[in-house]
Amino acid sequence: MGSLKMTEKTPRAALPESSCAYLLQELKMIWNEVGQDQNERERILEELEQECQEVYRRKVNSANMSRIQLHQALAESEAEFTNLLLSLGERSFPGRPEKMAGTLKEQLNSITPALQEMQMRKEARLKQFIEVQTEIQRTASEIAGRLGNKAVTVNEEDLSLKKLEEFQSELQRLKREKSDRLCKVEEYKVLIHNFAKVMGMDPSKILASVHPRLLDGPNEQQTKNISDDILKKLNVTVEQLKEEKNNRREKLQNLVKALTNLWDTLDTTMEERQPYGQIKIAMTSVNGMLGPGSLTLETIQQVESEVQRLNQLKASKMKELFLKKRAEVDEICKKSHMDMPYQTEMDKIMNLIMSGDVVHNDLLKTMDEYIYKAKEEATSRKDIMDKDERRYSISRGAHKHLKRAERARIIVNKIPGLVEQLMAKTQFWEHERNKIFYYDELPLLAMLKDYMLTLKEKEEEKYRQRENKKIQTLLVKRHENTLMLRPNTSFSRQSSRGFNSPGSTSIWSSQSFCQTSTTT
């Protein structure tokens, strides 16, 4: 009301037509002309004043909200700018004013360009982090042997250049390790190709057995597997191929050596040697370089078959030679009545001949030594054999029985001493090793003791028989002496004449001898 009353004193002509005061003057003139009641006038003026206050209040509130929003926007801009500085690891930014002055809009307008610049720098820095961390993850996955990559998560709280340099250093380290591993993989692949080429194998199958990705070409976009497990498998594969190559080479060298010896032994012609000439040159070369397919299984089997064929031929010829030499030894032994010497050794030689393990020169040397020793022994036995033939001028069969009897007697006399020596040696052996000596699953010492006990019992039995014989002989003599000392009666004389007669004496002697023999 006060404000409306103030406007009543203002001249109407001085007020603009669009102002509230002009309109109020216009309303009052209408009321005067109409004769509006004063109370009604005051009521209407109060309503107008309240309505004006509401409009002003709304405007003030709107202006206050705008101011708050500007303060908040300015504070957020300040905070975001500060956070951007911290995340980027920078202390200050040249485009930002050090002291804020002017209205809120002026302050906000002054910081907005610097804030936008910092946001662009953050986006660029974030992109760098994403690229570096993605590359780190991909390289680390290749080294670890992991398939597939997860989305990279970047810590936006720390986008400083220092942190970026740390990631870049880690990436460079991983790249160097990756490069070293790729070089190692390529070295293994080259070795595998070389080994496979020499041995006639398919390198692609060997590499596929280790890992299928080893067959892929050099593609930077494709994830590779260069893990420790792959390197270990490649190393094991290379070592296995190397060992297989060495085994094949050694086997082929031995076969070529055996083949050469067989050629020399059998006087093989050059035409027969020609198909294996290149193989021999490769195996006996000084530099040891092997061409493609030099150590294939087919090559080894081919040489091995030829060696087997020549060994069979050699065994056949050496068998003929051996039998001829052995027949010569048999003839020498037969003429000298000797047991066949070196029987076991010659049986072993025959087995070696059949297996192909006897050298031609060694066989000749050994058999010639046997023939020489047989002749030497036959010569040393010549005098004994001549005396033996004159001593035993009976049949051949009786001659053999007498010789065997002599040998048996000598051996029997030596048996107790030999058994005692054997028992002593057996006891020493058991004492030294603290266990029983078994012979055909029986304790040897117990067997020897039983044998000695049996031998002792036989000796005692023989002794008793000899004593009995002596007693019987003594009794016979006493009986004879008694008869001779009886009185000379007619009966005794007759008896004496009867006993003293030649026929009676012979009969008595025969009876005594028979009794003694029977007792014995």
Side-chain angles (χ1 to χ4, degrees), residues 363-499:
L363 173 63
L364 290 177
K365 183 178 179 181
T366 302
M367 293 307 297
D368 287 341
E369 287 179 357
Y370 290 164
I371 293 172
Y372 173 78
K373 290 180 179 179
K375 288 181 178 179
E376 188 179 37
E377 185 175 352
T379 302
S380 65
R381 290 163 55 94
K382 189 173 184 306
D383 294 338
I384 299 174
M385 291 299 297
D386 291 342
K387 293 178 180 179
D388 187 65
E389 290 294 333
R390 289 193 297 270
R391 178 182 178 186
Y392 299 100
S393 58
I394 55 178
S395 63
R396 181 179 296 272
H399 165 253
K400 288 185 176 180
H401 288 309
L402 289 171
K403 291 178 70 176
R404 288 175 182 170
E406 286 188 24
R407 292 177 184 173
R409 180 179 58 79
I410 295 171
I411 292 174
V412 167
N413 292 332
K414 292 182 178 180
I415 283 177
L418 295 175
V419 173
E420 290 179 357
Q421 292 179 4
L422 186 56
M423 289 177 64
K425 290 183 179 180
T426 306
Q427 288 175 345
F428 178 78
W429 188 93
E430 291 183 346
H431 178 72
E432 185 180 28
R433 292 165 179 77
N434 195 23
K435 61 181 181 179
I436 299 174
F437 189 103
Y438 286 95
Y439 181 86
D440 288 340
E441 299 182 357
L442 295 175
L444 179 60
L445 192 58
M447 293 168 60
L448 294 173
K449 288 180 179 179
D450 290 341
Y451 176 79
M452 290 298 291
L453 182 60
T454 303
L455 192 63
K456 183 178 180 181
E457 289 175 353
K458 288 183 179 180
E459 289 295 329
E460 290 176 353
E461 180 64 24
K462 288 181 180 180
Y463 177 77
R464 285 195 299 270
Q465 290 177 359
R466 287 196 299 268
E467 291 298 319
N468 289 334
K469 185 176 179 181
K470 289 179 181 179
I471 292 171
Q472 289 178 1
T473 304
L474 183 61
L475 290 174
V476 171
K477 289 182 179 181
R478 286 180 179 179
H479 182 69
E480 290 177 351
N481 293 332
T482 303
L483 291 175
M484 293 176 66
L485 296 173
R486 281 181 179 180
N488 190 11
T489 62
S490 60
F491 176 75
S492 62
R493 287 195 298 270
Q494 291 176 359
S495 299
S496 300
R497 285 197 297 269
F499 283 115

Side-chain angles (χ1 to χ4, degrees), residues 3 7 65 96 145-146 160 176 317 335 387 487:
S3 60
T7 58
M65 288 297 297
R96 178 188 179 185
R146 295 190 298 266
S160 62
R176 287 193 298 270
K317 291 186 176 182
K335 289 181 178 180
K387 293 178 180 179

Side-chain angles (χ1 to χ4, degrees), residues 23-36:
L23 293 175
L24 183 59
Q25 291 291 341
E26 189 72 23
L27 179 60
K28 287 181 178 181
M29 289 176 61
I30 295 173
W31 282 344
N32 292 331
E33 186 177 352
V34 173
Q36 184 70 28

Side-chain angles (χ1 to χ4, degrees), residues 339-351:
D339 293 335
M340 181 67 178
Y342 317 115
Q343 184 68 41
T344 303
E345 289 79 356
M346 286 192 283
D347 289 340
K348 291 181 180 178
I349 291 174
M350 175 57 76
N351 294 332

Side-chain angles (χ1 to χ4, degrees), residues 41 47 94 129-130 161-162 309 354 356 428 432 460 505:
R41 289 184 180 185
E47 289 179 356
F129 270 83
I130 293 174
L161 288 175
K162 181 180 179 181
R309 185 186 71 83
M354 299 309 296
F428 178 78
E432 185 180 28
E460 290 176 353
T505 303

